[in-house]
Structures are given as C-alpha cells and as structure tokens.
Amino acid sequence: KAGVTQTPRYLIKTRGQQVTLSCSPISGHRSVSWYQQTPGQGLQFLFEYFSETQRNKGNFPGRFSGRQFSNSRSEMNVSTLELGDSALYLCASSWGTSGRGDEQFFGPGTRLTVL
Amino acid sequence: AQSVAQPEDQVNVAEGNPLTVKCTYSVSGNPYLFWYVQYPNRGLQFLLKYITGDNLVKGSYGFEAEFNKSQTSFHLKKPSALVSDSALYFCAVRAPPSNTGKLIFGQGTTLQVKP
C-alpha cells in the first residue's frame, strides 16, 4: 500500500508570493491533517479535512488555507508569504472514523524556504 | 490548556543499554497518547499508542511505553538500544472532546545511541 505522498518536496519562494502544497493520502483514508514544523515552535497543527470539509483548525492566520477534493487529496495554500513561514509542512492521513484512537500516517513533508 | 512536555532535549545512551524517553501530559479527561519517530529529512513514523486497557503498550521496532495516570506520564522505553534508533522522538496527545485528527505534540527529544 502506498504511503502518504507530498509534492513538491522542496520549494523556494520570496516574500509576498503565494504557494500551494499538495498531499495524497493513503488509499481509503478520508482524513487529512496538516502540520507546520519549525525548530522554534515544533510541530503545530494547521487544519484537518474530512470528506471535503474542514473539521478542525489551528491558530494560524487566514493566509493559511486548505481544501480537500472528492478523492481525499488535499492542498494547502499560503498567501503573502513571510520569512517566518519557512518550515517543513507535513501532511498526515487517517481513516478519520475511528475517533480519538486513529493514528495518523505522515508524508515526508514539503520543505518551504521563504527568501 | 492541553499540553505535552518532553523534559529532555537530548538523551544519550550506549548501544545495548536500556533507553527511556520521557513524556508528561496535561489534559482534561482521558487522553489518547501517541509516540512518533522522525529520521532526518523524513516524515513522522508511528510507533505506538495508548487508548485504554493495559498500561504497558508495545509498539514497533521493540519499543514500548508505560502509561501512568497518577503521574500523567507516558514514557517511551526499549530494553536494548540500537545505533539505528538514533532519531528525533515525539510524544503526542489527542484529548477530549476532540474526535478529530488534531494532535498536540511535545517539543521532541533527540535520542543519540553511541556504539
């Protein structure tokens, strides 16, 4: 079974630009969550999508947005990039229907560098 | 506020010796607890979880964790460390009433196993 895939793996952007990251979950998984990982703040939850609906949202500004398609693939978008947005963005998928015991499976991440 | 603490930034252990990576949590209600490992330039890999039942949970690669409700701890253990266990370890909690994907992570502990 193929794991979670994320594209692209690396991105370099400049301040003020926008970026779209993509995530394909494990086949059959309907929940996709996004996390931001930085050395200073660690792993922080961005949002979760389940069946094309945002089910939970972390404490990030509105510049961070996402969506999920009918095949469960998800994208996240960051507009008006700031230097502080440089991070590893991780996507995780799970069945989404097993309640709090659902373990999430993570992709390799997209390394975003903002210059 | 719900939180997870990993009090040690780094743990050093000799190969063949037992290892412990500490984790404490602060949540309301019954927590669901997880351990993940991250190797350089990789996403997070699921190791084990505690939902209910036996306080000693066994997981992948010979790791186990002990849930202690009175001490609000969920320490990761392995009887005999391998050099290949060297990585970054994260403890995470999913707390009620959330049935969604959101995980709250600790800051991570770097495990260094020396030959």
Side-chain angles (χ1 to χ4, degrees), chain A residues 22-68:
Chain A
S22 181
C23 171
S24 292
I26 291 171
S27 178
H29 284 186
R30 292 163 62 190
S31 168
V32 173
S33 295
W34 289 88
Y35 294 85
Q36 181 195 65
Q37 185 178 18
T38 59
Q41 299 297 316
L43 278 156
Q44 294 187 287
F45 173 79
L46 280 155
F47 30 64
E48 182 206 8
Y49 286 87
F50 177 78
S51 293
E52 302 180 67
T53 300
Q54 189 180 85
R55 189 158 74 169
N56 205 342
K57 188 177 186 305
N59 295 324
F60 279 82
R63 300 185 297 107
F64 292 82
S65 62
R67 60 177 175 169
Q68 187 179 34

Side-chain angles (χ1 to χ4, degrees), chain A residues 73-101:
Chain A
R73 190 177 70 85
S74 177
E75 289 181 348
M76 68 163 281
N77 183 276
V78 188
S79 63
T80 318
L81 284 166
E82 300 177 359
L83 294 178
D85 297 333
S86 295
L88 181 66
Y89 290 89
L90 293 164
C91 164
S93 77
S94 67
W95 296 109
T97 56
S98 303
R100 293 189 289 127

Side-chain angles (χ1 to χ4, degrees), chain B residues 28-59:
Chain B
S28 301
N30 295 320
Y32 284 10
L33 295 154
F34 302 79
W35 274 102
Y36 285 86
V37 60
Q38 186 177 35
Y39 295 97
N41 300 314
R42 303 276 295 275
L44 277 66
Q45 294 179 30
F46 170 75
L47 282 177
L48 51 79
K49 66 181 179 182
Y50 172 82
I51 299 176
T52 188
D54 288 342
N55 290 339
L56 187 64
V57 178
K58 294 190 183 297

Side-chain angles (χ1 to χ4, degrees), chain B residues 55-112:
Chain B
N55 290 339
L56 187 64
V57 178
K58 294 190 183 297
S60 306
Y61 314 117
F63 284 95
E64 56 190 30
E66 187 169 11
F67 172 68
N68 188 315
K69 189 172 184 178
S70 63
Q71 296 185 2
T72 61
S73 67
F74 188 55
H75 300 332
L76 181 70
K77 300 182 180 184
K78 188 174 183 182
S80 179
L82 299 172
V83 172
S84 57
D85 292 330
S86 298
L88 182 57
Y89 290 79
F90 289 97
C91 180
V93 67
R94 185 178 286 139
S98 173
N99 279 324
T100 69
K102 179 182 179 180
L103 286 171
I104 300 167
F105 285 90
Q107 284 295 101
T109 298
T110 298
L111 173 65
Q112 187 84 315

